[in-house]
Each structure stands twice: as C-alpha cells, then as structure tokens.
Amino acid sequence: MAMATLYRALLLLFILSDSFGRICSLGVGINYGQIANNLPSPSHVAYLLRSLNISRVKLYDADPNVLTAFANSDVEFVIGLGNEYLEKMTDPVKAQTWIQQHVQPYISQTKITCITVGNEVLTGNDVRLMSYLFLAMQTVYGALSNLGLSKVVYVTTAHSTGILSNSFPPSAGTFRPDLAEYIQRIVNFHSQTNSPFLINAYPFFAYKDNPGQVPLEYVLFQPNQGTLDPITNLKYDNMLYAQIDAVYYAIKAMGHTDVQVQISETGWPSKGDPNEVGATPQNAKLYNSNLLSRLQQNEGTPAKPSVPVDIYVFALFNENLKPGPASERNYGLYYPDGTPVYNIGLQGFLPRMDYSASWKNALSFFVLFLSLASLICAL
C-alpha cells in the first residue's frame, strides 16, 4: 500500500509539474560549475538533469568523474581547457596528448561536442595569455583533425562583453580597437571551422552599476517601452538580445556574417553584497523564468529573427568557494542539496544519498518514467 501511494505521488508530482511541457521543447543548456565543497556527486547530478530533461551541459574542465557519470546519456557536453593550459596547448604534441587523455577515452559513450579553450582571456590583464589564445585554439583544432574528431568536436573560446568598445545602439556594435588583432583571427577561425562565437553576457552588471538609468523591466524581460535602434529602426525589449546583436554587428564589421553568436553564460544572482543592487531571489526568478519563456518560443533577436537564441544558463548550483563578491556564490538555480533556490517551474529530482528499499524501488520507477517522458518529448 505504501509503495503504491509513493508511486502515485511521484507520478502526480511529475505530471502536474509545470515544467513538463516547457522543458520537453527547451534546448537550453546549463553551466555546471564545481567550485564548492558541498556539491552532490556527478551521478546524482546526472539524475537531476535527467529529471529536468536538460540535454546540454557546459563544464569548465574535463572532469572524468562527470564524463563517466553521464555515459550512455543523451547529454551533450562542452568541456573546458582553463586559462592555465593555454601555453601548453600551443604545442601540437601536448595538445594531442591532452585530447587523447581527456576526450578519446569518453567520447564513445559521452557526447562531447565542444572544447572551450580559455575563458574571458582577452579582457584579462595577462598579455602573454592573449598572445597564446588563438594559437592554442588553432593547435587544439589541428590535434582534433589528426585524431579524426574535428567534425564531431568544435573548438571555441568564451569572451565577456568587455571585448566591445560600443554596444548601443546594437547596429553600432564594435570590438575594442586594442583587441581587434586578436579577435579578427578568432572570427576568421570560426568562419573557417563553422564554430560559434561565445559570449558571457550579464545584464545584471549593467543594472547594478547604473540602477537609476537602466530600467529594471528592460533587463528582466518584463513589459517595458523598450529602446529603438535609430540606424536600423529595430526595437529591443530586453538588454540581452541587444547585447547579442551588438556582437553580431561587431563581427560583421570584421567582414563576417557567417559566424553564429551563442551565449555561453547568462544568469542573475539571488543574493549579493549590500552594494550589489538588484541581487535578490525575486529578480533572479524573474530573469531566469522570463528567459526560459522566451527561449521556449524558439525566437531570434531583432537583427537575426530566423536564428534561435542559443543560451547556457549560469549556473546549476550555488558554489560556496568562488572568490569575489557574494553574488559570485549565488547564481545557482539549486542549492547543493537539490532544493530550488527559487521556483521557476523546473521541478527536478535529486536522489537521496541513503535509500530505503522502498525509495530504491520508487527511484527506479521514477527514472523509468522519465525515460518514457523523454521519448514522448522526442516524438
């Protein structure tokens, strides 16, 4: 009797979850950072993401425990080569060795689709790293080609919006002149290898720095008057889409219209220091829930209406060991115990560490049900 009741409760929970319909059609990705000492095991995270039907995950490294935990799943992985690897990756032998150790052993069972070489290198202060970036990307790509993987795994790097010298109006978007030489090579590389240009975009920062001038509704995807690009007459009702188009126009100014822009990070913190205006659970909920609603519509930006916006939300969990202001530790959709930080309709399931026999059976049933649900979504 108890088991039957438990099964019915789990089934009802999943069916009634308002996430069921929207997540089935959602191509959103999630950033899975691990700068914390209290996170659930990768195998537990695999259950959680399966229950959310999220099929794209971005890592900041190539953690073998994570890649193994997601073996034989439908999850596509972006893995990362940290900035500390850039100099080594300019050496073809070392680049190929890294791929043989961190990609080849897993790729037959875990879908690795992308390697990000470095993160926000061009807006850092290390000129040596800047000089290594393009060569490292080129060398990693060459190593993938030698191993027959360049058609399966693409190579890119992630930038902050700080690479822009002008972002408004979007049609006047341009890259910083002092970075132009670096970025031109990278844009040419993306065009040649058919790989995306990644940008980490956070409207939160713009609001935090100028709360009196930047309308909160504009950055949270809420109804607002919007802004008009006087050159194109295109109207923007949110800052994120304006930032994306500014990058598109900056790339166009470098002679390319064949490179797709993807958002490798965006999110909103649920907590911050006293001077971090707007870092609240209410605003974080509005930003992420409204963003998911927009993504569900499979829409493009005003300048690229036929190209669906492609986004990886930051982040899956709050990370308690991240340095910097309090906001850095509070971007997660979930607490490490699997409890949602706020409700945006993503009713995931993080299995408990200690199972009774009934819970083991219930978990098996629930996972089976999720598998069937995923099949329904795919039809």
Side-chain angles (χ1 to χ4, degrees), residues 180-201:
E181 181 182 355
Y182 302 109
I183 297 175
Q184 183 72 68
R185 293 173 184 171
I186 290 171
V187 170
N188 293 345
F189 172 83
H190 289 315
S191 175
Q192 294 162 5
T193 62
N194 195 30
S195 54
F197 190 97
L198 302 187
I199 198 86
N200 299 335

Side-chain angles (χ1 to χ4, degrees), residues 58-310:
K58 179 169 163 282
L59 299 177
Y60 291 87
D61 54 20
D63 188 339
N65 296 317
V66 174
L67 297 177
T68 301
F70 281 85
N72 302 311
S73 71
D74 292 326
V75 176
E76 295 183 359
F77 273 91
V78 175
I79 62 174
L81 270 163
N83 294 352
E84 67 274 16
Y85 285 96
L86 289 186
E87 183 175 6
K88 290 181 181 179
M89 290 304 105
T90 62
D91 182 329
V93 174
K94 291 179 180 177
Q96 184 157 319
T97 299
W98 189 90
I99 292 168
Q100 288 172 326
Q101 292 176 347
H102 297 89
V103 178
Q104 279 191 318
Y106 309 100
I107 199 167
S108 64
Q109 294 184 305
T110 303
K111 296 180 180 179
I112 300 171
T113 60
C114 171
I115 299 173
T116 56
V117 180
N119 184 60
E120 300 188 356
V121 174
L122 297 183
T123 45
N125 298 317
D126 193 328
V127 178
R128 289 175 67 251
L129 282 185
M130 294 181 192
S131 67
Y132 295 145
L133 178 59
F134 171 69
L135 182 56
M137 293 173 66
Q138 199 173 43
T139 304
V140 169
Y141 178 79
L144 287 168
S145 297
N146 291 341
L147 297 170
L149 295 173
S150 60
K151 302 297 184 183
V152 180
V153 183
Y154 61 84
V155 175
T156 184
T157 187
H159 309 277
S160 81
T161 52
I163 61 173
L164 293 167
S165 63
N166 188 53
S167 61
F168 196 84
S171 59
T174 51
F175 294 120
R176 282 168 40 185
D178 60 313
L179 300 179
E181 181 182 355
Y182 302 109
I183 297 175
Q184 183 72 68
R185 293 173 184 171
I186 290 171
V187 170
N188 293 345
F189 172 83
H190 289 315
S191 175
Q192 294 162 5
T193 62
N194 195 30
S195 54
F197 190 97
L198 302 187
I199 198 86
N200 299 335
Y202 290 91
F204 164 71
F205 294 140
Y207 177 76
K208 174 182 71 72
D209 293 338
N210 294 286
Q213 310 219 342
V214 177
L216 185 60
E217 294 79 10
Y218 182 63
V219 293
L220 293 180
F221 300 92
Q222 291 185 290
N224 64 93
Q225 292 183 344
T227 58
L228 190 70
D229 187 321
I231 301 172
T232 62
N233 281 327
L234 294 175
K235 185 175 181 180
Y236 290 84
D237 65 1
N238 71 84
M239 180 176 285
L240 183 66
Y241 286 14
Q243 290 176 325
I244 294 172
D245 278 352
V247 177
Y248 270 121
Y249 281 108
I251 292 173
K252 184 177 181 180
M254 288 196 155
H256 287 284
T257 57
D258 56 348
V259 176
Q260 184 181 1
V261 175
Q262 295 182 359
I263 299 297
S264 41
E265 290 182 18
T266 193
W268 196 284
S270 59
K271 186 186 298 184
D273 290 326
N275 66 336
E276 295 189 284
V277 181
T280 67
Q282 294 79 13
N283 288 341
K285 174 181 178 179
L286 284 169
Y287 184 84
N288 284 312
S289 61
N290 289 339
L291 173 61
L292 292 180
S293 295
R294 298 292 288 263
L295 294 176
Q296 186 186 15
Q297 299 171 31
N298 211 34
E299 64 184 6
T301 62
K304 295 281 186 176
S306 62
V307 181
V309 175
D310 192 305

Side-chain angles (χ1 to χ4, degrees), residues 2-3 6 352-364:
M3 280 300 299
L6 185 55
R352 302 192 318 181
M353 294 294 290
D354 52 334
Y355 303 119
S356 64
S358 61
W359 266 103
K360 285 181 180 178
N361 292 334
L363 177 60
S364 298

